[in-house]
Amino acid sequence: MEAEFWHGKWEREEIAFHLAQANPLLTQHVASLQLAPGARVFLPLCGKTLDIHWLRQGGYRLAGIDLSEIAIRALFEELQLQPVVTQHADLLRFSADGIDMWVGDFFSLDATLLGTVDAVYDRAALVALPPAMRAAYSQHLQALSQYAAQLLITYEYEQALADGPPFAVLTSEVQQHYAQRYQLSHLTRVAVAGGIKGKAPATESVWLLQARADV
């Protein structure tokens, strides 16, 4: 998607993708990551998700990136935190106690700037991107996180019935992007109430990705 698409969504407050509570699939399955107290979790294309609030309450440190400065400023306001804002080339960094968020192009963030992360939580990044962008995204994410474990959420539905995002990402595509470097575990599949945009019956899957020892 073009950056203007997402900037427009936030400017017009067309953010139906923003859940009004922490994602139940996160709260039910985060334990599968086996994170130590204080572990640092990276959320790509995170917006102002309440998943960040929930993870922070659980004692985790957070990092994330989003194109929208509106979203990141709203996140810190809702967290009641006053961030320190610094410029790093084309990215803005918003930092407060235990939380670092970048504003800008995901592909402009590198591993040195991000720092070490213990896990990735991808609820709305892979599925937000059209097919032509997903291979480059997954490769960059793996390099950024240095192959940290991932909790990945995807949708399966007949793409012709509804326009993304969220886009359908089938099991075969998850395997295509990640199986070379990760052991994939399909943790659950649940029906999406009302389908995608009321048009397409859909299921939502949770994947655990763990770096393969034989690579």
Side-chain angles (χ1 to χ4, degrees):
M1 311 298 288
E2 296 292 335
E4 290 77 10
F5 173 87
W6 293 109
H7 286 307
K9 287 285 189 183
W10 283 100
E11 288 165 3
R12 296 187 299 271
E13 297 187 351
E14 295 174 356
I15 52 173
F17 50 83
H18 177 70
L19 301 181
Q21 67 283 320
N23 191 332
L25 294 177
L26 168 66
T27 62
Q28 293 165 17
H29 295 286
V30 69
S32 66
L33 289 168
Q34 299 181 327
L35 296 173
R40 192 165 185 251
V41 181
F42 178 56
L43 293 83
L45 314 189
C46 58
K48 61 170 187 173
T49 175
L50 294 180
D51 295 341
I52 291 172
H53 298 240
W54 187 85
L55 287 165
R56 192 166 184 270
Q57 289 168 1
Y60 300 111
R61 295 177 296 132
L62 288 310
I65 184 168
D66 198 88
L67 273 172
S68 174
E69 186 172 343
I70 293 173
I72 297 304
R73 288 192 178 277
L75 170 67
F76 279 91
E77 182 177 341
E78 291 170 9
L79 288 169
Q80 298 183 343
L81 294 173
Q82 182 62 47
V84 174
V85 183
T86 52
Q87 186 84 44
H88 299 265
D90 295 332
L91 298 173
L92 283 177
R93 180 177 183 172
F94 289 68
S95 298
D97 183 26
I99 181 168
D100 297 294
M101 294 287 150
W102 284 265
V103 171
D105 185 348
F106 169 76
F107 293 100
S108 295
L109 183 62
D110 61 38
T112 299
L113 187 56
L114 174 60
T116 300
V117 297
D118 300 297
V120 173
Y121 169 53
D122 181 347
R123 180 192 77 83
L126 184 67
V127 298
L129 300 173
M133 295 185 66
R134 293 199 287 257
Y137 162 80
S138 62
Q139 292 168 11
H140 188 60
L141 179 60
Q142 291 173 64
L144 265 183
S145 66
Q146 300 176 64
Y147 305 99
Q150 293 191 39
L151 197 65
L152 169 67
I153 296 178
T154 59
Y155 294 93
E156 294 193 10
Y157 66 94
E158 180 57 52
Q159 189 68 79
L161 296 179
D163 295 329
F167 292 96
V169 179
L170 306 184
T171 294
S172 58
E173 186 175 353
V174 174
Q175 294 170 336
Q176 174 189 339
H177 293 320
Y178 294 110
Q180 182 176 355
R181 298 300 299 255
Y182 292 91
Q183 179 69 41
L184 308 182
S185 300
H186 189 204
L187 301 183
T188 193
R189 178 182 284 113
V190 297
V192 176
I196 299 296
K197 301 180 181 179
K199 298 178 180 179
T203 59
E204 196 170 8
S205 287
V206 181
W207 297 88
L208 175 64
L209 283 55
Q210 295 172 297
R212 292 170 49 134
D214 58 346
V215 176

